[in-house]
Amino acid sequence: MEYFFFNVTNVDAFLEGAKPEVKQVGPYTYREYRYKDNVSMVENNRMVSAYNIKSFVFLREKSVGDPAVDNITTVNIPAWAVMNKVKGSFWKASMVAIWMNSYGSGLFTTRTVDELLWGYEDPLLARVASTNPEVEKVFGLMYKKNGTNNGEFVYHTGVENYMDYGRVETWKGQSQLTFWASNQSNSINGSDGSAFHPLLNKNERIYIFTPDLCRSIHMEFEKDVEVNGIPAYRFTPPRSVFASKEENPANEGFCVTPQECLGTGLLKVSPCRKGAPVVASFPHFYLGDPKYVAAIKGLSPQRQHHQTFLDLNPTTGVIVRANKRAQINILLSRISGFPKTRSLNETIFPVMFLNESVVIDDVSAARVYKLLLIVTLVSNFPLIIVGLGAILLAVLIILLVRAHKQKKEVKRTVFTKALYATSTEEDTSYSPVSDKEKEDPQNGTYIGLSPKGDP
């Protein structure tokens, strides 16, 4: 898991109305460990329930710096979350504005990478939490996501239909979400991205439910690839996944309100982020409306570095390589009751993007390759049998032909001998010399030979 942050270099100028400038800093790389806990079979082995546990260990040799030391200047997400929560109420907004001034909470903050990722106690949140126990005092982009799970999943085992293998039936006990405005948008479709059914087709859509986005997305076939000698199909999310409602009417259900429909390339996930103005996108607004890229100096979307993809072996459905890339943004705009926001234009401000990647290791690749070889042999077994049968039939025909030729040669030889034989045998007959057999005192009885008479 790699984390990249956008360090803001002109905070004061931006607050006065200038175009924001950011510099990408990263990666800060962590080894991600995954396993399924509390696994139990249900409904006569038709389904299996489990919790997905993730834990992270920092890898200094694959990182640009020390997350405990490196500082990042970015959007003060807790402050913007509280401001958005109280907007529309003059008294609450005025009170929060006073708190922000007293605690020195600005619209931007400078924190270490560790604090931004794994959490820090925010003074404004602590003040709000004193009157509202449901509010967390600690904020972090990955807070409570190390060594924890994101709820119970129930999966299909595929015992009745292999096409259902890995498909999510329920999440947190629900077969439908409640965040969005339409049944289609609230549907839980596909797997959780860790398993897929075998015998994949290039023409099918791969559906994945992602709790981080609070929705299901789909992927389509892009091209054939090969990883460690294993053939694979590459599936990628098309532009239509995060397209605007004008470009893709099916996405209208993801509009928080009719007035809060964002453009192509963005998804506002505030309904499942306790109302915080969080916006998801691909890194550097890849596949998004060019206006979002143009609004921030320092962004440069590139397919090679910012595309999300899955490389799946079509026979087994095994993941041989994958890159999940997503960006966290904050919607900044003028909010009544907060004078500091008067000079701001509505901006989708990038905070961080992650690159969650995996590639099959050599040992696993060898096992899959052996399995594919067995599958190839088994699937071609009828052809092998037919081929062997054809060879045996050809050998039998050859042997029969040769035997037939040898038989003809024998007959020809016998006929030739009979034709050219002398008359000695024909003219000699066996007959006794006399009516009484002669006896030789030494050799016993003998038969005499005499010439055959001419009739």
Side-chain angles (χ1 to χ4, degrees):
M1 176 74 88
E2 298 176 317
Y3 298 100
F4 298 83
F5 289 86
F6 295 101
N7 188 53
V8 187
T9 59
N10 67 335
V11 172
D12 294 335
F14 171 67
L15 293 177
E16 293 175 0
K19 184 177 180 178
E21 297 180 11
V22 298
K23 181 181 180 181
Q24 179 178 300
V25 181
Y28 294 91
T29 308
Y30 294 77
R31 170 73 172 176
E32 180 181 342
Y33 295 89
R34 286 190 178 194
Y35 66 95
K36 287 181 167 56
D37 191 27
N38 198 20
V39 179
S40 57
M41 307 300 294
V42 295
E43 296 191 20
N44 295 324
N45 295 337
R46 287 180 56 248
M47 299 184 191
V48 56
S49 66
Y51 291 84
N52 297 321
I53 310 295
K54 293 183 182 181
S55 58
F56 302 90
V57 177
F58 180 64
L59 300 178
R60 181 64 182 87
E61 67 278 7
K62 293 189 176 183
S63 304
V64 297
D66 187 347
V69 176
D70 296 353
N71 287 316
I72 301 293
T73 299
T74 187
V75 177
N76 189 348
I77 299 178
W80 283 96
V82 174
M83 288 191 295
N84 273 271
K85 196 72 174 177
V86 300
K87 69 179 180 181
S89 172
F90 175 77
W91 297 109
K92 289 182 179 180
S94 300
M95 185 176 294
V96 169
I98 294 172
W99 289 347
M100 288 178 65
N101 288 329
S102 63
Y103 295 128
S105 297
L107 302 182
F108 287 80
T109 185
T110 300
R111 297 282 178 176
T112 65
V113 171
D114 264 351
E115 288 177 322
L116 291 173
L117 282 177
W118 310 114
Y120 62 93
E121 185 171 322
D122 183 81
L124 181 61
L125 290 180
R127 181 66 184 85
V128 175
S130 64
T131 59
N132 186 353
E134 294 182 0
V135 176
E136 288 273 4
K137 296 180 182 180
V138 178
F139 168 79
L141 296 168
M142 295 293 292
Y143 179 57
K144 290 186 175 180
K145 293 184 179 180
N146 193 357
T148 60
N149 66 79
N150 51 11
E152 183 190 31
F153 281 84
V154 176
Y155 308 90
H156 284 264
T157 62
V159 69
E160 292 184 334
N161 184 352
Y162 76 91
M163 292 289 288
D164 285 335
Y165 173 72
R167 182 168 66 84
V168 177
E169 175 67 14
T170 63
W171 175 58
K172 292 184 176 180
Q174 296 179 321
S175 58
Q176 282 275 110
L177 303 174
T178 57
F179 304 123
W180 310 109
S182 68
N183 290 333
Q184 181 178 352
S185 301
N186 281 318
S187 297
I188 297 177
N189 299 321
S191 74
D192 65 351
S194 64
F196 298 89
H197 68 78
L199 305 179
L200 292 166
N201 191 308
K202 290 182 179 181
N203 298 320
E204 70 177 296
R205 277 184 170 182
I206 299 295
Y207 285 90
I208 301 173
F209 170 66
T210 59
D212 292 335
L213 293 177
C214 314
R215 61 164 288 186
S216 300
I217 65 171
H218 66 268
M219 296 178 134
E220 296 176 350
F221 174 80
E222 182 184 90
K223 62 181 179 180
D224 289 282
V225 296
E226 187 175 288
V227 183
N228 287 352
I230 300 174
Y233 291 166
R234 173 162 293 183
F235 288 87
T236 62
R239 177 184 168 93
S240 60
V241 170
F242 287 156
S244 65
K245 66 175 183 178
E246 290 78 19
E247 193 173 325
N248 181 9
N251 285 344
E252 186 173 359
F254 294 111
C255 297
V256 179
T257 65
Q259 294 76 30
E260 292 184 81
C261 273
L262 301 177
T264 294
L266 305 178
L267 174 69
K268 191 172 183 181
V269 293
S270 55
C272 61
R273 290 293 179 267
K274 298 181 180 179
V278 180
V279 177
S281 71
F282 293 120
H284 288 244
F285 300 117
Y286 173 71
L287 294 182
D289 193 313
K291 70 179 182 181
Y292 300 120
V293 180
I296 310 288
K297 186 177 180 180
L299 299 184
S300 177
Q302 299 176 27
R303 179 190 189 92
Q304 179 183 355
H305 300 296
H306 304 139
Q307 181 190 45
T308 292
F309 65 83
L310 274 173
D311 292 343
L312 306 176
N313 175 253
T315 304
T316 61
V318 169
I319 300 173
V320 293
R321 181 171 55 196
N323 278 84
K324 173 188 171 184
R325 291 154 171 163
Q327 182 170 297
I328 296 173
N329 313 276
I330 300 297
L331 176 61
L332 306 185
S333 60
R334 297 187 187 95
I335 301 178
S336 60
F338 297 94
K340 292 181 180 180
T341 65
R342 287 175 183 170
S343 300
L344 297 182
N345 297 315
E346 184 171 287
T347 307
I348 307 298
F349 210 100
V351 175
M352 176 200 78
F353 80 84
L354 57 86
N355 176 24
E356 190 176 20
S357 60
V358 63
V359 62
I360 193 169
D361 60 273
D362 293 338
V363 175
S364 299
R367 291 174 59 192
V368 173
Y369 187 80
K370 188 182 294 184
L371 178 62
L372 293 176
L373 184 61
I374 294 172
V375 170
T376 302
L377 291 174
V378 171
S379 61
N380 292 326
F381 190 72
L383 295 178
I384 294 173
I385 294 299
V386 170
L388 289 175
I391 293 172
L392 292 174
L393 180 61
V395 171
L396 179 61
I397 292 173
I398 291 171
L399 292 175
L400 288 174
V401 169
R402 291 180 65 179
H404 186 65
K405 286 182 178 180
Q406 287 177 355
K407 191 173 181 180
K408 281 187 175 182
E409 290 292 335
V410 170
K411 286 184 177 182
R412 189 180 296 113
T413 302
V414 172
F415 178 74
T416 304
K417 283 184 178 179
L419 185 62
Y420 296 101
T422 60
S423 60
T424 304
E425 293 180 358
E426 292 181 1
D427 296 338
T428 304
S429 62
Y430 298 88
S431 60
V433 175
S434 64
D435 294 335
K436 189 176 180 180
E437 293 181 349
K438 295 182 179 181
E439 293 186 4
D440 187 290
Q442 294 181 348
N443 300 318
T445 306
Y446 68 91
I447 300 175
L449 299 176
S450 61
K452 198 178 194 179
D454 191 355

